[in-house]
Amino acid sequence: MRPTTEDELAGIIRAATGPLRITGGGTRGLLGEGEPLETGGLTGIVLYEPAALTLVVRAGTPLAEVEAALAAEGQRLPFEPGDMGALLGRNGASTIGGVVATNASGPRRVQAGACRDALIGVRFVDGRGTLIRNGGRVMKNVTGYDLVKLLAGSRGSLGVLTEVAFKLQPIPPASATLILPGLSPARAVAAMSAALGSPYDVTGAAHLPGIGTLIRLEGLAASVGYRVGRLLVALAPYGQAVVERDADAAAALWRQVRDAAPFHGRAGDVWRISVRPSDGPEVAARLGGEVVMDWGGGLIWALYPAGMDARAPLAGIAGHATRVRGGSRDVPALPPEPAAVAALTAGLRAQFDPRAIFASGR
Amino acid sequence: MQMPAPDARILGRKPAIVARLREVLPADAVIDDPVELRAYECDALSAYRCSPLAAILPRSTAEVAAALKICAAEGVKVVPRGSGTSLAGGAMPSQDSVVLGVARMNRVLEVDHADRIMKVEAGRTNLSVTGAIEQDGFFYAPDPSSQLACAIAGNIAMNSGGAHCLKYGVTTNNLLGVTLVTMAGEVLQIGGAHLDAPGLDLLGVICGSEGQLGVVTEATLRILARPEGARPVLIGFESSEVAGACVADIIRAGVLPVAIEFMDRPCIRATEAFAHPGYPDCEALLIIEVEGAPAEIDEQLALIRTIAGRHSPVEIRESRSEEESRRIWLGRKSAFGAMGQINDYMCLDGTIPVSALPQVLRRIGELSAQYGLEVANVFHAGDGNMHPLILYNANAPGQLDLCERLGAEILTLCVEVGGCLTGEHGVGIEKRDLMGVQFGAADLDAQMRVKDVFDPAWLLNPAKVFPLAASAARRGA
Ligand SMILES: Cc1cc2nc3c(=O)[nH]c(=O)nc-3n(C[C@H](O)[C@H](O)[C@H](O)COP(=O)(O)OP(=O)(O)OC[C@H]3O[C@@H](n4cnc5c(N)ncnc54)[C@H](O)[C@@H]3O)c2cc1C
């Protein structure tokens, strides 16, 4: 089924007797049971005001199309969403609705916030077949409850997004990436913490096996030059950094971090683990295998033996671990929640999807 | 402004309820003396007042949980309170409610520079959060003008903004976790020192829920390294259209100032008379602040000056010293005080798409003339959050009502041009009855269904946010 209007979509949901499986580009691993419900008929930019840094777009619009339209005006989505297709071995085209449904956020999340932070409005049809609007198209809005945040990362379990609105960012004229080679995970996190805790407005801090520890600066040209100089001094205890000033080369490195490129096409499950940055090295040590660290050590992508539970060795470390690739009947992909939180979550799902027709995303 | 009739059964049980609360709280934490209760009868929306049944001031999460269990069992409504600076009546009690103030919970629990987080009890004031870390070169970014008084608890409940939110975001963008006590007295940990939720983003919906989903007792906050410096430039224009166009050009050029503030002529004149900041007498004025090392500031201000130069400004005044920066900000910071000198005023808080600025200012001018009440505009121009100040005389019969009607027309206008009723102050009781302008019945119902999950009996701050008619069935009214 491929509705082209919100009314049609609402009708399909109201008439549904069994589970529906919402699919955008099918690149983000939101699989499961049920009749496919494609969002690809709900496409197009509804409103783009570059001077107000705002974009309203229908949820089925391909991410690449959104990014191209923004780039034409020298702007971008602040949160640097990744492309999971290669990691998961899928070849669809990621949609903007899928980005929102998974709260997909890349390296710039440490400075510019996550997808949920840039998202300023949603329209969605819930499991009752009701169209619901929340937020809007302005950057500051505290009118009523923030269901916008609730929908970001809801993995299609509350309803089908039909339209999403973002605040945008101008693409800065200059950028530079410092690369510190050869650090252990613990030293890498210490270096990244020093950079992120400096006044130099770091927009990315990651550790890429075989390449090094990366620190990104963006802004006006003279300002980037100044901050590179200061950081070289501040990070001297961690070795002599190489400065990558070529924009394309640097962008390629950050894409590798963003998309967990070292694990593409390799055997094993892939886990995505969010912890406080100083716990990053301990996570890496306990998991034993290969890791990519982003968000200054707060986000760990780990390659782990197929079917094994990566949560077990991490017991006692606060945070959460999600399996993004691979499968196992015994180990759930999504982290279990404490009973009281799970009860609230279940309560919300029951309110928005009382017939559990979107249960496959859970 | 209408409030539901108090529950006579609860009023009658006051002695029993107070006695039960005294069983779980220290003697000085339960207030039932009518004179002492006056301190809790209103917040900064002081036109509306009502004394509560009692006020409680717990010192720990465990005490909050114990007290809420009793209130839930008794069926007593609870109004959470931070410092009572809400401009929307969010913390105003009803006669049959218990005010739960978290002001005594104000400790810093943890500071971690390496992980760039800090954990505090929710009653701590906004400014003293930064105060606890500034010696180490860090700060907590959201900085409402009320920051000396307002509490993190109220900031979270209202999702408050501040002068620097253009660059750093509002409360929700700087909040990583909370300890939340539900109306049933259950203690939940939502989020923490790590980023982003594993499942549904409950933290995102708790922030901005105006004390209706649970009582926040602790918060984990993102902290940032203080930039090396900051400096403003002041630019005067012949018309607000031109000022608006200049803002648009600056944003398009890729400079990201930390603040872009706008003042119109009535506001400029009033502040000039009050604080003598030496502002040019012009139609519209922008104060734009940028951050960084001296050379970085020069680079950004040079670009801003070039852009502004294309809009025939009547004056460009770039600060070259601390003293000049202080003078440039002086007028803006004393704007509310200046208005208060002339008159009583009501401060609105709608947001509009920045492109609609000239149209909205023109229409506000017409409405002001039609109602015979002067309106001065102060405005966070970078993000479209307006603060029209309607001047009126509270002692003249009918003026408050007239002022509220004009306010409602202006906020309706904000929604009509694609904006919203409130950008940072919250709905409370003040904008409750206008919610239908922005939301349809299904939109409001979806929000109320969230409250149904967290607080099924609708005991937490129930008569706020939603139009009374829309929430009546749920409140059991
Ligand atoms: C002079 C002045 C300037 C201001 N400037 C700004 C500004 O620049 N930006 C801005 O955004 N706001 C501003 N405000 C509004 C106000 O200061 C903010 O809304 C502030 O966050 C309220 O904090 P508070 O602690 O005083 O909360 P209160 O007024 O005590 O309560 C506000 C709301 O929070 C709820 N609440 C309080 N504590 C809790 C808790 N522990 N758990 C759950 N809910 C709770 C209450 O029920 C109420 O609904 C200003 C107010 C004044 C008077």
Side-chain angles (χ1 to χ4, degrees):
Chain A
M1 289 174 295
R2 201 167 187 274
T4 53
T5 64
E6 287 171 336
D7 280 346
E8 202 185 322
L9 170 63
I12 290 173
I13 292 173
R14 278 196 292 267
T17 50
L20 296 174
R21 178 161 61 82
I22 310 166
T23 56
T27 61
R28 289 182 194 276
L30 301 181
L31 297 181
E33 309 291 300
E35 199 174 335
L37 174 55
E38 290 173 34
T39 62
L42 298 160
T43 56
I45 289 174
V46 178
L47 175 141
Y48 176 23
E49 274 189 14
L53 297 174
T54 43
L55 172 78
V56 183
V57 58
R58 292 200 186 87
T61 311
L63 174 61
E65 197 178 311
V66 171
E67 291 184 321
L70 300 183
E73 296 289 340
Q75 298 185 345
R76 66 187 179 193
L77 296 168
F79 51 93
E80 209 175 356
D83 180 348
M84 294 294 108
L87 181 71
L88 303 180
R90 310 252 175 81
N91 42 26
S94 173
T95 63
I96 194 71
V99 167
V100 170
T102 54
N103 188 29
S105 316
R108 201 173 291 105
R109 197 261 173 268
V110 282
Q111 188 256 3
C115 173
R116 53 93 88 179
D117 295 293
L119 191 69
I120 54 178
V122 291
R123 291 166 71 99
F124 66 103
V125 179
D126 75 358
R128 303 174 189 228
T130 308
L131 175 71
I132 296 164
R133 299 171 305 147
N134 196 262
R137 53 174 275 214
V138 289
M139 288 189 200
K140 272 178 83 185
N141 183 350
V142 297
T143 324
Y145 294 171
D146 194 348
L147 304 187
V148 172
K149 300 279 183 304
L150 197 62
L151 265 289
S154 63
R155 306 175 72 91
S157 68
L158 302 178
V160 182
L161 290 161
T162 57
E163 198 175 288
V164 288
F166 295 99
K167 75 177 168 204
L168 309 170
Q169 207 180 46
I171 297 173
S175 84
T177 295
L178 275 61
I179 307 170
L180 287 159
L183 300 180
S184 68
R187 292 286 287 163
V189 170
M192 292 191 283
S193 286
L196 288 164
S198 77
Y200 307 125
D201 210 12
V202 167
T203 69
H207 185 66
L208 197 57
I211 305 275
T213 306
L214 315 178
I215 309 288
R216 181 172 59 193
L217 296 167
E218 297 174 289
L220 300 182
S223 162
V224 169
Y226 166 80
R227 288 180 284 145
V228 165
R230 298 303 294 246
L231 271 180
L232 283 173
V233 175
L235 296 177
Y238 302 94
Q240 179 60 50
V242 178
V243 184
E244 180 59 82
R245 287 199 168 81
D246 181 78
D248 292 338
L253 287 176
W254 287 104
R255 266 198 306 278
Q256 287 190 48
V257 173
R258 192 192 72 182
D259 302 341
F263 305 149
H264 294 183
R266 303 255 309 267
D269 291 352
V270 175
W271 289 75
R272 189 174 180 275
I273 301 149
S274 176
V275 293
R276 66 193 289 168
S278 54
D279 284 337
E282 180 65 19
V283 171
R286 289 202 203 166
L287 293 180
E290 213 174 305
V291 299
V292 174
M293 289 193 286
D294 196 358
W295 302 354
L299 177 69
I300 292 119
W301 296 92
L303 190 66
Y304 206 63
M308 299 274 288
D309 183 2
R311 287 186 198 103
L314 300 180
I317 298 178
H320 50 88
T322 299
R323 188 182 55 230
V324 292
R325 188 180 79 191
S328 157
R329 210 170 301 139
D330 309 321
V331 185
L334 295 176
E337 293 178 318
V341 174
L344 286 178
T345 297
L348 289 168
R349 286 181 176 147
Q351 283 289 353
F352 287 93
D353 180 21
R355 294 176 298 151
I357 56 173
F358 299 132
S360 65
R362 295 182 182 178
Chain B
M1 204 272 314
Q2 199 196 338
M3 286 300 273
D7 183 336
R9 187 184 63 83
I10 298 293
L11 298 181
R13 275 189 63 76
K14 173 171 174 170
I17 293 166
V18 168
R20 283 191 73 181
L21 289 169
R22 289 216 161 103
E23 280 167 24
V24 298
L25 295 172
D28 71 341
V30 182
I31 298 166
D32 66 334
D33 173 67
V35 177
E36 282 181 68
L37 282 178
R38 281 217 199 118
Y40 301 95
E41 69 186 9
C42 70
D43 53 28
L45 185 70
S46 54
Y48 298 101
R49 290 162 193 269
C50 175
S51 226
L53 194 74
I56 55 176
L57 301 170
R59 279 199 174 77
S60 69
T61 299
E63 285 183 6
V64 170
L68 284 175
K69 277 190 183 138
I70 291 170
C71 292
E74 291 280 350
V76 187
K77 300 178 185 77
V78 172
V79 177
R81 184 181 177 98
S83 304
T85 68
S86 170
L87 290 166
M92 191 194 77
S94 59
Q95 231 181 309
D96 55 356
S97 68
V98 168
V99 169
L100 190 164
V102 293
R104 286 183 181 168
M105 300 182 63
N106 60 6
R107 288 176 304 159
V108 173
L109 302 174
E110 185 191 353
V111 177
D112 188 327
H113 298 126
D115 286 338
R116 303 165 300 284
I117 58 116
M118 88 191 266
K119 193 169 177 186
V120 298
E121 288 182 326
R124 193 168 181 89
T125 61
N126 177 291
L127 193 62
S128 68
V129 165
T130 286
I133 51 176
E134 65 189 347
Q135 73 278 7
D136 307 311
F138 282 82
F139 72 112
Y140 171 63
D143 56 346
S145 322
S146 52
Q147 66 180 158
L148 188 61
C150 67
I152 290 298
N155 294 174
I156 293 171
M158 291 311 197
N159 189 14
S160 301
H164 295 88
C165 60
L166 186 58
K167 177 162 181 199
Y168 297 112
V170 295
T171 302
T172 192
N173 312 117
N174 292 277
L175 178 70
L176 298 175
V178 293
T179 302
L180 182 84
V181 188
T182 64
M183 190 63 216
E186 208 161 5
V187 179
L188 306 182
Q189 301 299 333
I190 314 272
H194 57 275
L195 295 173
D196 297 345
L200 291 183
D201 189 353
L202 301 181
L203 186 65
V205 77
I206 289 164
C207 190
S209 62
E210 305 205 12
Q212 294 196 308
L213 300 185
V215 175
V216 173
T217 58
E218 294 173 359
T220 304
L221 309 171
R222 183 170 87 115
I223 59 174
L224 299 169
R226 170 88 52 206
E228 291 176 89
R231 229 176 330 126
V233 58
L234 174 155
I235 313 170
F237 296 93
E238 289 293 6
S239 82
S240 42
E241 272 93 342
V242 178
C246 182
V247 171
D249 284 358
I250 290 168
I251 287 173
R252 291 229 48 182
V255 203
L256 191 61
V258 276
I260 306 181
E261 298 289 305
F262 173 102
M263 291 165 74
D264 70 355
R265 190 189 285 275
C267 194
I268 298 167
R269 289 209 167 143
T271 54
E272 193 53 43
F274 176 68
H276 320 296
Y279 285 169
D281 186 21
C282 55
E283 208 49 51
L285 183 155
L286 296 176
I287 298 175
I288 304 175
E289 181 155 282
V290 298
E291 284 181 346
E296 294 181 276
I297 291 177
D298 286 342
E299 187 185 27
Q300 296 173 76
L301 289 184
L303 189 55
I304 290 170
R305 272 205 319 262
T306 309
I307 294 167
R310 292 187 211 124
H311 294 274
S312 340
V314 296
E315 178 161 350
I316 300 187
R317 190 185 303 168
E318 184 181 320
S319 160
R320 307 229 150 263
S321 67
E322 288 278 315
E323 172 56 21
E324 286 180 19
S325 297
R326 193 191 63 78
R327 286 194 70 78
I328 288 179
W329 276 113
L330 177 68
R332 169 62 184 90
K333 290 198 168 154
S334 51
F336 288 16
M339 292 302 159
Q341 282 282 308
I342 312 178
N343 246 318
D344 300 302
Y345 68 83
M346 182 165 124
C347 174
L348 304 179
D349 173 46
T351 305
I352 57 168
V354 287
S355 50
L357 173 64
Q359 173 199 350
V360 168
L361 287 177
R362 209 176 314 117
R363 183 72 189 127
I364 289 179
E366 288 165 15
L367 287 168
S368 161
Q370 186 185 322
Y371 279 79
L373 293 175
E374 198 175 353
V375 179
N377 284 290
V378 204
F379 189 92
H380 304 298
D383 51 36
N385 189 191
M386 305 191 80
H387 289 312
L389 304 175
I390 307 176
L391 309 185
Y392 72 105
N393 179 355
N395 296 322
Q399 281 244 314
L400 173 62
D401 180 58
L402 191 66
C403 171
E404 286 183 337
R405 280 192 282 131
L406 172 55
E409 284 220 42
I410 294 175
L411 293 182
T412 303
L413 171 67
C414 290
V415 174
E416 278 166 5
V417 299
C420 66
L421 297 172
T422 170
E424 59 181 15
H425 294 168
V427 178
I429 50 171
E430 192 208 9
K431 280 147 281 191
R432 187 189 65 191
D433 299 316
L434 285 174
M435 287 290 272
V437 173
Q438 188 173 332
F439 295 110
D443 306 326
L444 286 176
D445 189 62
Q447 297 174 36
M448 291 190 287
R449 282 193 251 148
V450 172
K451 182 162 171 66
D452 292 342
V453 173
F454 281 79
D455 175 26
W458 276 64
L459 291 175
L460 270 170
N461 219 5
K464 313 286 171 70
V465 184
F466 304 105
L468 288 183
S471 65
R474 291 172 149 101
R475 287 181 292 105

